[in-house]
Structures are given as structure tokens and as C-alpha cells.
Amino acid sequence: MRCSRLLLQRSNALALYRRSVNTWSAVGAAFNVQHQRLEPLQKNVGLFGVPELSGPAGFQMAQHQALREAEFLVHKACTHPPGAVTVETFDQLSDSLCRVADLADFIKVAHPDAAFREAAERTCVEIGTLVEILNTNVDLCQSLKNLLGNEAVLATLDSDTRRVAELFMFDFEISGIHLDESKRSKAVALNVKLLDLYHEFLSGSQLPNAIDKQVLPEHIRHCFSIDGNRVQIGGLHADSPNELVREAAYKIFLYPNTSLLLCLDELLACRHELATLVGYESFAHRALKGTMAKTPGKIIRATSRDFKMMKEMKKKAHTTNPEVMPWDHAYLSSAIRTEMFNIDPSVYSPYFSLGACMEGLNRLFMQLLGVYFQAEQPKMGELWSEDVRKLAVVHETEGLLGYIYCDFFRRPDKPHQDCHFTIRGGRLREDGVYQLPVVVLMLSLPPPSGRTPSLLTPSMVENLFHEIGHAMHSMLGRTHYQHVTGTRCSTDFAEVPSILMEYFASDYRVLSQFAQHYQTGEPLPENLVSRLCESKRVCSAADTQLQIFYAALDQVYHGKPQYRSTTDILREVQEKFYGLPYVHDTAWQLRFSHLVGYGAKYYSYLMSRAIASMVWRQCFLQDPFSRVMGERYRREMLAHGGSKEPVLMVQGMLQKTPTIEDFVDALVLDLNANVKSPAL
């Protein structure tokens, strides 16, 4: 019924898609007006419509239900003859646990109620522990071995089913399934210990550092949070025009925390011990190594030019230290852009109301893919905050594809991060009905106020497009198995769809479809977009070099043990790969939270950017609205999730096999070393 109802609304959506932004469609209005409260007498349907989650105690109920289902599915997998049903049962097992764990993983960071957050955290730990135990379950693994070792049965499986079976077997192998019982138990213990260390490190990496306020010059104390006689510094203040503020924030925020240094040491040691226990030379050998950091020569030459520009800019400020320091990078880059192109975010914001941006994305996806958004009214208890918006994603002929919950606005205690969370993966259920994907996009945008909608800076627009790219990857992947749905793919491919959307966000042909002044309807002048695009290339080589430094540090930390401090390693890698000096008594690595989620895989960001650049230039630069290319993009890249080798997806899209040199050249091409000032 729901699909039919939404399809009946298609003609209305197409009409709205052509409307001027001066008259908001349902999608534009949903984001540009203040939210209306739900009727309090409605029945509480639970978070995301999960009835058990109408209160914090419901997490334990959902957890117990998932554990009972897991027990049944493990028995089924171990007793059923090998065949496609084996893989389907494994995927059901994965889905039953992920449906609870993924939801809890989001709620533990986003829910404003501490009771919900704590209950979700406990559920994450319990299910995470069970997953590690299942990954060393000999009988469960044997059922998969019986399948993969039976050539006659394998011949009956389609390529996706065979790949998913191999991926499940890989999970067993890296968990040490081949070890004897005592070593398997040790592997489980190490994995469980790592879960605790991850939590400790991530929590510690976000905590502010405090210092006696008398240590700071009086004239800069007001720039920080003061608690009695202590100054709390919770960030780098990298955009401050005051060099002393930037320097103080850098040195204090990054001052070494002894307990967190020990935590990181233990985390890296546990990872290495686990890797060697299961037969790998190092933890980094479990992931594809980053090749970008090995060939930085072309980028380093452009970086030298950028740092020279920063030094000249710093001289103009008549500072006491003429050398460019790490705390200067972000500020001086911005200052150079402002001087060369006169970029003022406040000039752009009136043209980028959030509602207009969402309508622009609606138009773009309709043209490229025949997909549009439908604003939905959530039910009581479905949301964790009343300012969250719910979108149905609908295809013009296929009907409802899934749901996106948009947690876009700032609020107290909400994490200041832009990210995509999978709540439920798509898969073909046993009854033949497709389980629709559900995701959350979390941003930190200013909320609408009175008659003023949420107005976005250019960087906010780019972040919005980036995160929507992740969401559409989840929506448009129509894999048989949830284990490989949407963004559940190789790490060095997962960022490609999101980074590709950044190119659309910088193209005037795309922006001109929706960027109009929220009060006058005046279109965004093309010269403003040209300046903005040119400004992004200023100091981009230095920014890329910084990413190379991060990727190299990540690789060294997860390589063979160095038997020296993580700070000594940081100093050496920074001197080799960055270009700005290490600052004594700082430990930037303690703020490098990506070490947990991207361990030995941080290089993937650079790889994904190179691929996205090639896809944009070859497939969309000539016509960013090409339906032919849009359909090829979905068919060759988005539809497969992780069920197809990334290199094959890239080959299908580009219709050629790219080399490492192609990747490097794509990054260098994006730097556009010959940036010229526009005619003013």
C-alpha cells in the first residue's frame, strides 16, 4: 500500500521538482520551517518504529530477541546441507545482529537522553562480544567450509552468493578460526579487550585539556571556556585570526595525556598481537596498503609552493615568528583565499537555504536517476529529537527505495560531526519482499529561526552533498544480501560516491538550479561560484599533503612494532611527509580518532578522491545531468554495494582499468597548480 501511495504522488513530485524556490515544495518546506510538534496522545511506536524501543529498557529486550534469533540461525546453518541457503542463513544471522547493533551504535552518540545512550552502549558491547565469539565458532565455520569446498554445489551459486560466502570466510580467518582452542580463546579475548580500548581512546580523544588561567596572557583568556581558575580548551581554534590564540590552543589541546598515550600503546600492541596470532605479519597486512603515500613526489612540489604563499601571508601580519607553524595552516590558507578571491561565507549563505539545497538535490537525482524525496510525517516516539526530518526515497518506476532520517541541526550535547549511519541494511527477505534500507545523516547546521530558514555556508553545502552521497549509495544498492549492502563495501571504495557529490556541489550548472536568495529570489551570480571554485584550489596541495601524512602515520603505527613511543614516530613521519615542524610536547596522535575506525586504512580517503575525480571528469563534467551516465553510475557502481570487487566497479564505470599512476595524476590534476586570480 505504501509503495502504491507514493507512486501515485509521483506526478506531484515531478511538478514540485520544476517549481521556483520562492514557493517551497513539501521537501523544501520540511527543512526551511520550524518543526511542528507531534500530537502527544499518539501511540509511541519506538525509535525508528521498533516497538521495544519506546524506552531505554527496550534495548535489553531487542538484544535478547536478537540473541535468541541468532541461536536459532546458528543451529540452522550448522545442520542444513551446504547450498545457497547456507549463505542466506549466515546473512540472516548477520542482519538480526546488525539491526540491533547498528541502531544502538547510533543512539549511543546521538540521543539527548543519557539513559538511552547508556542502554545503547551496553547493547553494543554485548552484541560486539557475541560477534567475536561467533567468528571463532568452529562448527559455524565448518558449515561454510563444507559449502566452499564442494565444487558441485559452488557451481550452482551465482557470483554474488559466492562472493558473500568468501567474505564471511574471511571474517573467520582474520579472527583465528584456524587456531587451536586456546589460541582461539585468546583471539576472542583480544578482540573483546580492543572493544574496551576503542571506547576509551575515542572518549579520551574528545575530552578538553585544562590549564591554570594564570598561565595564559590575560588578553586572550576570553577566547576560551573558563571554569573557575581553569581554562578549558576543547579544540584547536584553527580559524582564530589571533596567532597567540592559535598557538596556545594547539600546544594545550595537544599536550600529551599519559593515560591516553598508554591506551594507544596498548591498542596498537593488541592489534599487532591479534594480527600475528592469526597469521599476519602486522595489523596493516590485514588491509590494503596505501600506495598514495609511497609516491608523493608530484604533490610535494605543489605543497612547497603553498607553504611559500603561507609564509608570505604571515610576513604581512608582522608576527614575531615568521615561520609557518602547524597552527597556522588552516588560518593562513583561509586568509590567502580571502585575499585572492574575497570569499565571504556570509555573502553566499542567503542563496543556500537548507530547503533550497534539498530541493536542488531532489532535482539532481530526478534528472540523473529518476529518484526523488518525499517528506514524511514521523510518528510519536519514532524520533530521538523533534527537529529530525524523515524522507522517503522513491524511484519513478520501482517505487519506495528506503528512508533517510535527517538529523541536521545543532543542539546541546550533540556531537559536532558530519556522518552517515546505517540503521538497517537492504536485503531480499525469505518471503520475497525486499527489506528497505534505513539510514541517518547527521550534520551540525544552524536551525531555522522565525522567518529565517537554515542558511548554509559553502562548506556546509559541500558537506551536505557529501553525506547525501553516502545515503544514496545505501538507497540505490539493491543487493541480495545485507552483509554487502550499500556502504558495506571495501573501505577504499566507500567514500567514492560521497566525494563524487562534492564535484556536483561545485558546478554552477547544478547550483544554478536551486541557489536563489531566500528573500528576493535572485539567482546566485555565476562569478561568485567561479571565485569559490578557484579559491578551493588555493593551498589544496598542502591540504592533500596533510592527508598523505595522516595516511603514512596510520600505516607506520599499524606496521611492524617500532619499539619507541608513538610521539617519536609522529615526529619522524611528520618531518618526512608533511613539511611543517613537529611542536615539542604535543601529541596530535591522541586526537586522531580515525585510528579506531580506519586502522591501517586511512589511505582510502585519498584513493576514493582519486577515483571520484576520474569518474567526474570522464562521465559527468560534460553534462552533470546526463541520465545515461547516471544510469551507468547506478548500474556499475552503486547497485552492487560490496558484492563486487571495487576494481571491477571502477572498470565498468570508466570502461578501462586505471593504474596507480592514474590515481596519482587524478589527485595532481585536481590541485590545479596554476591558480590565477580572477578578474575583479
Side-chain angles (χ1 to χ4, degrees):
M1 286 295 292
R2 172 171 287 283
C3 289
S4 300
R5 178 175 69 81
L6 289 170
L7 282 173
L8 287 173
Q9 293 171 340
R10 176 192 164 206
S11 59
N12 292 334
L14 289 174
L16 292 172
Y17 143 74
R18 297 185 178 91
R19 292 172 70 175
S20 164
V21 296
N22 291 323
T23 306
W24 302 114
S25 72
V27 172
F31 292 91
N32 266 4
V33 299
Q34 290 181 307
H35 186 66
Q36 295 183 345
R37 292 179 181 272
L38 297 173
E39 289 293 334
L41 298 179
Q42 290 183 9
K43 179 183 177 182
N44 189 323
V45 300
L47 291 169
F48 297 102
V50 179
E52 294 85 355
L53 299 183
S54 58
F59 273 102
Q60 190 169 19
M61 296 168 58
Q63 173 187 318
H64 286 163
Q65 183 178 335
L67 296 182
R68 287 195 300 270
E69 188 175 351
E71 186 177 355
F72 167 77
L73 291 169
V74 168
H75 176 75
K76 180 180 177 180
C78 293
T79 57
H80 201 282
V85 69
T86 305
V87 182
E88 291 167 0
T89 304
F90 267 78
D91 195 63
Q92 291 175 50
L93 174 60
S94 175
D95 182 60
S96 68
L97 296 174
C98 286
R99 280 203 317 270
V100 179
D102 289 343
L103 191 157
D105 196 48
F106 168 70
I107 292 299
K108 75 178 184 182
V109 299
H111 204 289
D113 187 333
F116 269 97
R117 294 197 302 270
E118 290 165 6
E121 174 66 36
R122 289 192 294 270
T123 292
C124 286
V125 172
E126 288 296 326
I127 293 187
T129 301
L130 174 62
V131 168
E132 297 304 336
I133 293 172
L134 290 176
N135 282 341
T136 55
N137 184 311
V138 176
D139 293 335
L140 193 60
C141 179
Q142 189 60 49
S143 68
L144 201 57
K145 283 184 175 179
N146 292 341
L147 170 66
L148 293 172
N150 191 322
E151 291 296 333
V153 175
L154 276 180
T156 67
L157 304 182
D158 59 56
S159 59
D160 286 0
T161 300
R162 182 181 293 205
R163 174 164 168 78
V164 171
E166 292 169 348
L167 290 173
F168 277 122
M169 180 55 73
F170 178 71
D171 289 339
F172 279 119
E173 290 171 351
I174 64 173
S175 297
I177 194 66
H178 53 287
L179 304 174
D180 61 40
E181 186 174 352
S182 64
K183 290 183 178 179
R184 283 200 308 275
S185 297
K186 186 175 183 180
V188 171
L190 284 170
N191 274 310
V192 172
K193 184 178 181 180
L194 279 169
L195 291 176
D196 292 334
L197 289 170
Y198 294 160
H199 177 70
E200 180 182 349
F201 184 77
L202 288 174
S203 298
S205 69
Q206 304 300 319
L207 293 176
N209 274 343
I211 192 172
D212 193 305
K213 68 179 182 181
Q214 300 302 323
V215 175
L216 291 178
E218 187 174 357
H219 69 281
I220 68 168
R221 293 175 194 166
H222 70 280
C223 298
F224 308 108
S225 175
I226 299 178
D227 182 12
N229 291 322
R230 306 282 285 175
V231 173
Q232 298 276 349
I233 298 182
L236 293 173
H237 292 253
D239 297 329
S240 173
N242 188 318
E243 182 184 9
L244 188 56
V245 170
R246 298 196 306 273
E247 180 179 356
Y250 188 93
K251 290 181 176 179
I252 297 170
F253 185 61
L254 299 184
Y255 189 79
N257 178 307
T258 302
S259 63
L260 206 57
L261 282 170
L262 292 173
C263 174
L264 179 58
D265 286 341
E266 193 171 7
L267 188 158
L268 295 175
C270 278
R271 279 181 164 175
H272 181 74
E273 184 179 1
L274 178 62
T276 55
L277 180 66
V278 299
Y280 288 87
E281 186 176 337
S282 70
F283 188 84
H285 281 79
R286 293 177 54 175
L288 293 174
K289 290 187 176 180
T291 54
M292 294 295 110
K294 293 182 180 178
T295 54
K298 296 181 181 179
I299 297 173
I300 287 175
R301 288 194 290 274
T303 302
S304 299
R305 179 205 68 225
D306 287 354
F307 286 144
K308 183 178 180 181
M309 291 170 62
M310 290 183 198
K311 190 170 184 178
E312 292 300 318
M313 175 60 71
K314 195 170 183 180
K315 283 182 181 178
K316 295 179 183 180
H318 305 291
T319 62
T320 54
N321 181 3
E323 296 302 317
V324 178
M325 300 299 291
W327 55 79
D328 295 322
H329 184 147
Y331 173 74
L332 291 178
S333 296
S334 177
I336 293 169
R337 294 183 187 110
T338 300
E339 181 180 83
M340 291 179 65
F341 299 98
N342 193 27
I343 300 298
D344 181 358
S346 66
V347 172
Y348 291 82
S349 293
Y351 297 94
F352 291 133
S353 73
L354 177 57
C357 293
M358 294 305 295
E359 286 191 1
L361 286 162
N362 214 14
R363 296 181 182 197
L364 178 62
F365 292 134
M366 192 66 211
Q367 290 164 292
L368 283 175
L369 299 157
V371 171
Y372 61 91
F373 299 141
Q374 187 77 39
E376 291 237 333
Q377 180 67 26
K379 297 177 181 178
M380 177 62 66
E382 186 177 353
L383 307 179
W384 52 100
S385 178
E386 64 179 16
D387 60 359
V388 175
R389 311 299 199 257
K390 180 182 179 182
L391 295 179
V393 182
V394 189
H395 189 274
E396 59 184 353
T397 59
E398 298 171 27
L400 183 61
L401 298 179
Y403 294 102
I404 303 174
Y405 288 83
C406 302
D407 189 353
F408 284 173
F409 302 118
R410 300 168 185 155
R411 61 177 178 270
D413 298 326
K414 177 183 174 182
H416 293 286
Q417 57 188 28
D418 299 338
C419 44
H420 162 276
F421 292 86
T422 296
I423 303 300
R424 184 177 70 198
R427 73 181 183 98
L428 186 62
R429 295 190 330 210
E430 302 69 55
D431 58 6
V433 176
Y434 198 80
Q435 175 175 290
L436 298 178
V438 176
V439 305
V440 173
L441 295 185
M442 189 160 72
L443 303 175
S444 298
L445 304 180
S449 175
R451 294 187 177 182
T452 304
S454 176
L455 301 178
L456 278 57
T457 64
S459 63
M460 290 176 182
V461 174
E462 184 174 276
N463 289 346
L464 171 64
F465 272 63
H466 178 102
E467 298 303 333
I468 285 286
H470 283 308
M472 296 307 288
H473 194 184
S474 294
M475 295 297 109
L476 292 166
R478 273 301 184 264
T479 54
H480 187 127
Y481 302 101
Q482 72 82 37
H483 191 65
V484 290
T485 187
T487 56
R488 289 174 179 163
C489 57
S490 172
T491 308
D492 53 9
F493 184 79
E495 291 292 329
V496 172
S498 54
I499 294 174
L500 180 62
M501 286 302 298
E502 295 177 18
Y503 290 91
F504 287 95
S506 298
D507 191 286
Y508 182 72
R509 293 165 295 179
V510 175
L511 296 178
S512 64
Q513 288 204 121
F514 68 88
Q516 297 184 13
H517 198 286
Y518 78 100
Q519 291 175 316
T520 67
E522 173 196 2
L524 177 66
E526 185 172 1
N527 73 308
L528 287 183
V529 179
S530 299
R531 289 184 180 187
L532 182 64
C533 292
E534 288 296 313
S535 73
K536 289 180 180 179
R537 298 188 180 97
V538 174
C539 297
S540 59
D543 295 340
T544 300
Q545 193 64 46
L546 184 60
Q547 293 298 318
I548 291 174
F549 159 50
Y550 294 162
L553 182 66
D554 176 44
Q555 284 290 310
V556 175
Y557 277 165
H558 290 98
K560 294 181 180 179
Q562 299 281 314
Y563 302 108
R564 53 191 175 133
S565 74
T566 55
T567 301
D568 287 341
I569 296 171
L570 170 75
R571 181 189 296 109
E572 180 181 294
V573 176
Q574 182 168 334
E575 290 173 355
K576 182 176 181 180
F577 287 105
Y578 186 16
L580 295 183
Y582 166 78
V583 178
H584 180 66
D585 265 346
T586 61
W588 177 85
Q589 72 273 22
L590 299 183
R591 304 295 182 178
F592 192 15
S593 59
H594 287 84
L595 286 174
V596 171
Y598 282 78
K601 296 180 181 179
Y602 192 85
Y603 78 91
S604 301
Y605 177 83
L606 288 166
M607 183 71 78
S608 292
R609 179 160 292 281
I611 295 170
S613 174
M614 288 188 284
V615 171
W616 170 257
R617 293 179 188 283
Q618 182 172 321
C619 304
F620 295 108
L621 180 59
Q622 183 174 353
D623 179 6
F625 311 112
S626 170
R627 184 63 177 265
V628 172
M629 285 299 173
E631 293 293 350
R632 185 204 287 183
Y633 178 47
R634 182 185 183 187
R635 182 178 65 252
E636 298 292 346
M637 299 186 82
L638 297 180
H640 304 288
S643 66
K644 192 173 181 179
E645 289 283 353
V647 66
L648 298 179
M649 292 189 277
V650 176
Q651 286 174 0
M653 189 66 201
L654 299 178
Q655 299 186 340
K656 70 172 186 178
T657 304
T659 64
I660 290 298
E661 288 71 25
D662 291 331
F663 293 145
V664 177
D665 289 344
L667 289 174
V668 175
L669 191 60
D670 266 4
L671 299 180
N672 192 0
N674 298 313
V675 176
K676 299 179 181 179
S677 300
L680 301 178

